[in-house]
Amino acid sequence: MDLAVWRTFVAVCRLGSLSAVAAENHHTQSAVSRQIAGLERQLGVRLMERHARGVRLTPAGEVFHRHALATINEADRAVRAAQDAGAGAVDRALVIGATPSFAAGIVPEAVRALLTQVGPLRWSLLPGLSADLHVRVAEGHLDLAVVTDAPPGLPTDARVERRLLGLDEMVVVLPTDHPHVGRGPVHITALADQMWVEDNDGSAALLRHHAARAGVDARIGLSAVDLPGKLALVATGHAIALVPGVLRRALRADVAAIDLVDPPRRGIYTVTPRRAVHPRTGPLLEHLAAVFASVRSSRPAHSGDTADGLHGVPEGHNTTHP
């Protein structure tokens, strides 16, 4: 099949109308319409339904769009790899995704160790939520992502390989003048009267479940757009927050982290594509495991779980602890 037609189809999905694609590519609308019609004849199914304000994908069109996008991305990667090799470049740019807590410290530390090992390397880091990062790896947009199995959990996708780095204990972040700062692990019941702030549904679900197990309600009265906003509300005394333990070393100076008794835990995973694997993925996985282990070993000694190795649990194993 002609990938040019597939690109036209993907562009129509992105822009939502035939006329917009025609304008973007300097074609006539009838030419774009003929390409889509020809593709539908070739496949033997209807991909789009036309309406007054543009187009709407049929169920078959939605399925084909996912595969077409992955195929085009893979073809583009193949072209770039061949061009880089022809130009004498051994490595293409390494594109990494990570949840905000890992993007704030562990991933940059691991990349620094990688650059020390392999020398100069073009790379970029994209923070995001786990489900979105997982999809981006599967579709070929990311070479590697560090994600968590916090609610709603991770999907199963044969296009990716998932490896467990270990478990991360959540901690509570307070303003530095809070009376609980410096007192050691606190039970969630001691914080029942506090206002909480959350920035994503997964963390909020962990907090509510942890509080419910203790027979109290977590009063989530404020919301933040992202992790920096969440920490700003804590620093200024408006609320307290549940955050990943791996963030402890990267916290701003005007907040303090304290441990919870029997805290919520999240499984931390790396996700990589099964095809077109970046040649620096293997070394980066080793450095991520080493940095993560270092962060875990530097936490307070009362935290009771044992360390997990990089290859310790197969894909699909549920490591989220209630």
Side-chain angles (χ1 to χ4, degrees):
M1 290 187 176
D2 184 0
L3 281 186
V5 178
W6 288 37
R7 292 182 190 277
T8 298
F9 170 77
V10 169
V12 173
C13 295
R14 172 171 53 86
L15 296 175
S17 76
L18 303 177
S19 59
V21 174
E24 182 177 79
N25 296 316
H26 307 291
H27 295 321
T28 64
Q29 182 172 335
S30 60
V32 174
S33 181
R34 284 195 300 271
Q35 288 188 65
I36 299 300
L39 180 60
E40 289 176 326
R41 286 195 301 272
Q42 202 169 16
L43 296 175
V45 293
R46 191 73 174 268
L47 298 175
M48 295 179 174
E49 295 175 348
R50 282 70 169 175
H51 58 84
R53 292 185 294 177
V55 297
R56 182 184 301 110
L57 290 178
T58 65
E62 291 177 355
V63 171
F64 183 71
H65 176 242
R66 291 197 298 270
H67 290 282
L69 189 60
T71 299
I72 290 170
N73 288 335
E74 188 68 22
D76 289 341
R77 288 163 68 95
V79 170
R80 290 195 299 269
Q83 291 172 339
D84 287 346
V90 176
D91 291 334
R92 52 181 163 84
L94 179 64
V95 186
I96 308 164
T99 58
S101 57
F102 275 80
I106 286 181
V107 172
E109 286 186 45
V111 173
R112 179 176 60 184
L114 175 67
L115 297 179
T116 300
Q117 176 186 355
V118 305
L121 173 67
R122 292 182 295 121
W123 67 283
S124 59
L125 175 58
L126 175 69
L129 297 181
S130 293
D132 181 54
L133 295 174
H134 200 282
V135 170
R136 286 176 175 268
V137 172
E139 293 182 347
H141 300 296
L142 298 174
D143 295 303
L144 179 148
V146 183
V147 300
T148 84
D149 63 3
L154 295 172
T156 298
D157 195 316
R159 295 173 293 175
V160 305
E161 180 175 0
R162 210 161 63 212
R163 303 180 184 184
L164 179 68
L165 280 177
L167 300 181
D168 177 41
E169 293 185 348
M170 305 293 284
V171 298
V172 176
V173 175
L174 310 170
T176 53
D177 60 354
H178 194 283
H180 280 289
V181 172
R183 292 189 177 182
V186 63
H187 199 279
I188 189 68
T189 54
L191 302 171
D193 62 338
Q194 300 288 301
M195 175 77 74
W196 295 80
V197 57
E198 278 300 345
D199 64 329
N200 68 79
D201 293 338
S203 180
L206 285 176
L207 173 59
R208 288 193 177 100
H209 186 72
H210 180 70
R213 282 200 311 160
V216 298
D217 291 325
R219 186 161 57 102
I220 304 175
L222 292 174
S223 61
V225 173
D226 53 21
L227 183 58
K230 182 177 180 176
L231 294 176
L233 288 172
V234 173
T236 50
H238 294 289
I240 65 175
L242 188 73
V243 303
V246 295
L247 193 62
R248 190 191 298 266
R249 295 202 310 203
L251 288 174
R252 48 192 287 173
D254 51 3
V255 300
I258 62 171
D259 292 281
L260 283 166
V261 175
D262 189 21
R265 297 177 177 89
R266 314 173 304 159
I268 307 302
Y269 291 85
T270 58
V271 182
T272 54
R274 293 190 183 277
R275 300 175 57 189
V277 178
H278 193 284
R280 300 307 186 194
T281 295
L284 180 56
L285 288 172
E286 295 177 1
H287 291 301
L288 284 168
V291 175
F292 183 60
S294 171
V295 170
R296 285 167 53 85
S297 66
S298 65
R299 67 189 178 181
H302 57 262
S303 297
D305 57 306
T306 57
D308 295 279
L310 180 64
H311 304 286
V313 177
E315 179 176 351
H317 184 82
N318 181 12
T319 60
T320 304
H321 290 240

